[in-house]
Amino acid sequence: MLEIYNSLTRLKETFKPLHEGHVGMYVCGPTVYGDAHLGHARPAITFDLLYRYLQYLGYKVRYVRNITDVGHLEHDADEGEDKIAKKARLEQLEPMEVVQFYTNRYHRDMAALNVLPPSIEPHASGHIIEQIAFVQKILDRGYAYVSNGSVYMDVEKYAKDYPYGKLSGRNLNDIVTETRELDGQDEKKHSYDFALWKKAAPEHIMHWPSPWSEGFPGWHMECSTMGTKYLGEKFDIHGGGLDLIFPHHEAEIAQSCAALGHESVHYWMHNNMITIAGKKMGKSYNNFITLEQFFSGNHPLLSKPFGPMVIRFFILQAHYRSTVDFSSEALEAAEKGLQRMQEAYARLLKLQAAKETTVEVAGLRQRCQEAMDDDLNSPFVIAALFDSVKAINTVHDGKGTINEADLKELKDVWQTFAIDILGLRLEEQGAGDEKLKAFGGAIDLLLSIRLQAKQNKDWATSDKIRNELTALGFQIKDTKDGFEWSI
Ligand code: ZN
């Protein structure tokens, strides 16, 4: 039975879906105002692993991962400029151009990481009517108030009837001391009240009509609304990064209880953070490296480019509830680990069956499955697969044998756990290297033709090759013995 660590109870629970055979899961997706970085890759890969494993267990999964394209303000959820609107202002673009541009790039990066697309990817801006209706329900049940055209959650009143702070283990006093005094506070009864609807300032470019003002929904509102719209008033799993527990997920619980009279989420799951030298990685911390920079190696903290599968392997090597500290050395180690796996898999595919099995391969499937059942223990799955590498190498080196049934099972376990569930593309690296080799060979060929042309004083041909390669981004250096090139 799959165990899921539920952040709400802080206990390991045995996973039981609300409706037999079906699982509804909702994961907070990106705010699309910049390129995805390593901190985005972790939740995407963690919940991709869960999505893949639930399907392997035979569940029909409806996976909703939203796109935040309105209402995420710069300071917490309530104050400052909208992140999308700010980018649009700086770039002189329509806000939806910013949204489309970064959504496309997010999809490109996720596809590179072999993250499966969710079943539904709703946009906050496409669900304004539903969010207004949700806010109205909270107002009707008396847990919110209108102030100067904005609507705020009445946290004090709510906390009398429901346990506010249960997910993060905070009480109202903790929250009071944590909440910063900001502009517009005078609209709120208390500093800890949060916006359900905000009246738009005259310069605010993203706004919609509502019963209270021309404005926009509070950030937390979209997830309560879209989660229950697509998965029902009660659904199985809600995921996201640990940094979303407070205030975002705490606010979601409050909104659902206030509007519906009960909680919506059965299991809360949170992935831990990726740090750089112990500090959280993120746009607001100015220490983030985008996925594109990893793939190109174009960042001062990177020793070289790292392929998307190295990033995926690096993340899966740690349990999702542990922190992962990033360094170029740690990525290089992950790259070596992945290469070992790819080599072993290539050997496995070529092994010949014999009459008898003399190597240790029994129990591998069970070990992998038990590790996955134990709260998605991906590092244990990887360790189990590495143990079988010894057997693969022994047979490969002719020092042991494997019979047909065991070989078939071994190939099937690798296909199932390494490729289908961990989502590692094991055959690709070699193919990539082949392509790279062919590409390098073609450039060498062109430059040797140029060298020949120069020797023949055919300057037209020599210049043409040089200029056109330079225009394509190549740097060509003539040396004593010939040439050197780089991109
Ligand atoms: Zn959310």
mmCIF file of all heavy atoms in Angstrom, residues 26 28 66 219 223 238 244 248-249 252, ligand 1:
data_model
loop_
_atom_site.group_PDB
_atom_site.id
_atom_site.type_symbol
_atom_site.label_atom_id
_atom_site.label_comp_id
_atom_site.label_asym_id
_atom_site.label_seq_id
_atom_site.Cartn_x
_atom_site.Cartn_y
_atom_site.Cartn_z
ATOM 1 N N TYR A 26 -4.076 17.996 -7.082
ATOM 2 C CA TYR A 26 -3.911 19.390 -7.485
ATOM 3 C C TYR A 26 -2.537 19.859 -7.010
ATOM 4 O O TYR A 26 -2.172 19.648 -5.857
ATOM 5 C CB TYR A 26 -4.993 20.258 -6.827
ATOM 6 C CG TYR A 26 -4.976 21.701 -7.282
ATOM 7 C CD1 TYR A 26 -5.803 22.131 -8.311
ATOM 8 C CD2 TYR A 26 -4.119 22.633 -6.688
ATOM 9 C CE1 TYR A 26 -5.783 23.461 -8.738
ATOM 10 C CE2 TYR A 26 -4.094 23.956 -7.112
ATOM 11 C CZ TYR A 26 -4.930 24.355 -8.139
ATOM 12 O OH TYR A 26 -4.907 25.662 -8.567
ATOM 13 N N CYS A 28 0.148 23.263 -7.048
ATOM 14 C CA CYS A 28 0.320 24.682 -7.372
ATOM 15 C C CYS A 28 1.401 24.816 -8.440
ATOM 16 O O CYS A 28 2.538 24.400 -8.237
ATOM 17 C CB CYS A 28 0.711 25.471 -6.131
ATOM 18 S SG CYS A 28 -0.633 25.552 -4.944
ATOM 19 N N ASN A 66 -2.055 24.263 -11.955
ATOM 20 C CA ASN A 66 -2.520 25.561 -12.477
ATOM 21 C C ASN A 66 -1.374 26.425 -13.007
ATOM 22 O O ASN A 66 -0.210 26.188 -12.740
ATOM 23 C CB ASN A 66 -3.264 26.320 -11.382
ATOM 24 C CG ASN A 66 -2.323 26.744 -10.274
ATOM 25 O OD1 ASN A 66 -1.649 25.914 -9.677
ATOM 26 N ND2 ASN A 66 -2.235 28.034 -10.026
ATOM 27 N N TRP A 219 -4.439 36.085 -4.480
ATOM 28 C CA TRP A 219 -3.659 34.963 -5.025
ATOM 29 C C TRP A 219 -4.178 33.602 -4.564
ATOM 30 O O TRP A 219 -4.264 32.651 -5.347
ATOM 31 C CB TRP A 219 -2.188 35.138 -4.621
ATOM 32 C CG TRP A 219 -1.306 33.971 -4.932
ATOM 33 C CD1 TRP A 219 -1.355 33.178 -6.046
ATOM 34 C CD2 TRP A 219 -0.241 33.457 -4.127
ATOM 35 N NE1 TRP A 219 -0.376 32.211 -5.989
ATOM 36 C CE2 TRP A 219 0.317 32.367 -4.817
ATOM 37 C CE3 TRP A 219 0.299 33.830 -2.890
ATOM 38 C CZ2 TRP A 219 1.387 31.625 -4.303
ATOM 39 C CZ3 TRP A 219 1.369 33.096 -2.389
ATOM 40 C CH2 TRP A 219 1.901 32.015 -3.090
ATOM 41 N N CYS A 223 -6.543 28.782 -6.311
ATOM 42 C CA CYS A 223 -6.334 27.349 -6.070
ATOM 43 C C CYS A 223 -7.542 26.718 -5.395
ATOM 44 O O CYS A 223 -7.932 25.602 -5.728
ATOM 45 C CB CYS A 223 -5.047 27.117 -5.281
ATOM 46 S SG CYS A 223 -3.595 27.537 -6.275
ATOM 47 N N HIS A 238 -3.291 17.413 -2.459
ATOM 48 C CA HIS A 238 -2.884 18.764 -2.872
ATOM 49 C C HIS A 238 -1.397 18.871 -2.589
ATOM 50 O O HIS A 238 -0.957 18.603 -1.477
ATOM 51 C CB HIS A 238 -3.670 19.818 -2.090
ATOM 52 C CG HIS A 238 -3.523 21.217 -2.620
ATOM 53 N ND1 HIS A 238 -2.304 21.731 -3.025
ATOM 54 C CD2 HIS A 238 -4.435 22.199 -2.823
ATOM 55 C CE1 HIS A 238 -2.491 22.977 -3.442
ATOM 56 N NE2 HIS A 238 -3.766 23.290 -3.339
ATOM 57 N N LEU A 244 5.057 26.990 0.348
ATOM 58 C CA LEU A 244 3.676 27.412 0.107
ATOM 59 C C LEU A 244 2.754 27.108 1.288
ATOM 60 O O LEU A 244 1.592 27.511 1.285
ATOM 61 C CB LEU A 244 3.124 26.736 -1.156
ATOM 62 C CG LEU A 244 3.776 27.149 -2.478
ATOM 63 C CD1 LEU A 244 3.146 26.378 -3.634
ATOM 64 C CD2 LEU A 244 3.618 28.653 -2.720
ATOM 65 N N HIS A 248 0.001 30.479 1.738
ATOM 66 C CA HIS A 248 -0.862 30.081 0.621
ATOM 67 C C HIS A 248 -1.799 28.906 0.964
ATOM 68 O O HIS A 248 -3.012 29.015 0.804
ATOM 69 C CB HIS A 248 0.020 29.757 -0.586
ATOM 70 C CG HIS A 248 -0.721 29.514 -1.858
ATOM 71 N ND1 HIS A 248 -1.642 30.411 -2.363
ATOM 72 C CD2 HIS A 248 -0.706 28.470 -2.720
ATOM 73 C CE1 HIS A 248 -2.137 29.927 -3.495
ATOM 74 N NE2 HIS A 248 -1.593 28.747 -3.724
ATOM 75 N N HIS A 249 -1.240 27.806 1.416
ATOM 76 C CA HIS A 249 -2.098 26.632 1.640
ATOM 77 C C HIS A 249 -2.956 26.763 2.899
ATOM 78 O O HIS A 249 -4.080 26.268 2.954
ATOM 79 C CB HIS A 249 -1.243 25.361 1.662
ATOM 80 C CG HIS A 249 -0.696 25.026 0.306
ATOM 81 N ND1 HIS A 249 0.355 24.172 0.097
ATOM 82 C CD2 HIS A 249 -1.070 25.472 -0.932
ATOM 83 C CE1 HIS A 249 0.609 24.090 -1.204
ATOM 84 N NE2 HIS A 249 -0.237 24.879 -1.851
ATOM 85 N N GLU A 252 -5.808 28.621 1.710
ATOM 86 C CA GLU A 252 -6.709 27.768 0.922
ATOM 87 C C GLU A 252 -7.634 26.955 1.825
ATOM 88 O O GLU A 252 -8.828 26.820 1.548
ATOM 89 C CB GLU A 252 -5.893 26.800 0.054
ATOM 90 C CG GLU A 252 -5.440 27.387 -1.255
ATOM 91 C CD GLU A 252 -4.826 26.298 -2.144
ATOM 92 O OE1 GLU A 252 -5.458 25.239 -2.317
ATOM 93 O OE2 GLU A 252 -3.708 26.498 -2.630
HETATM 94 ZN ZN ZN B 1 -1.767 27.343 -5.188
#
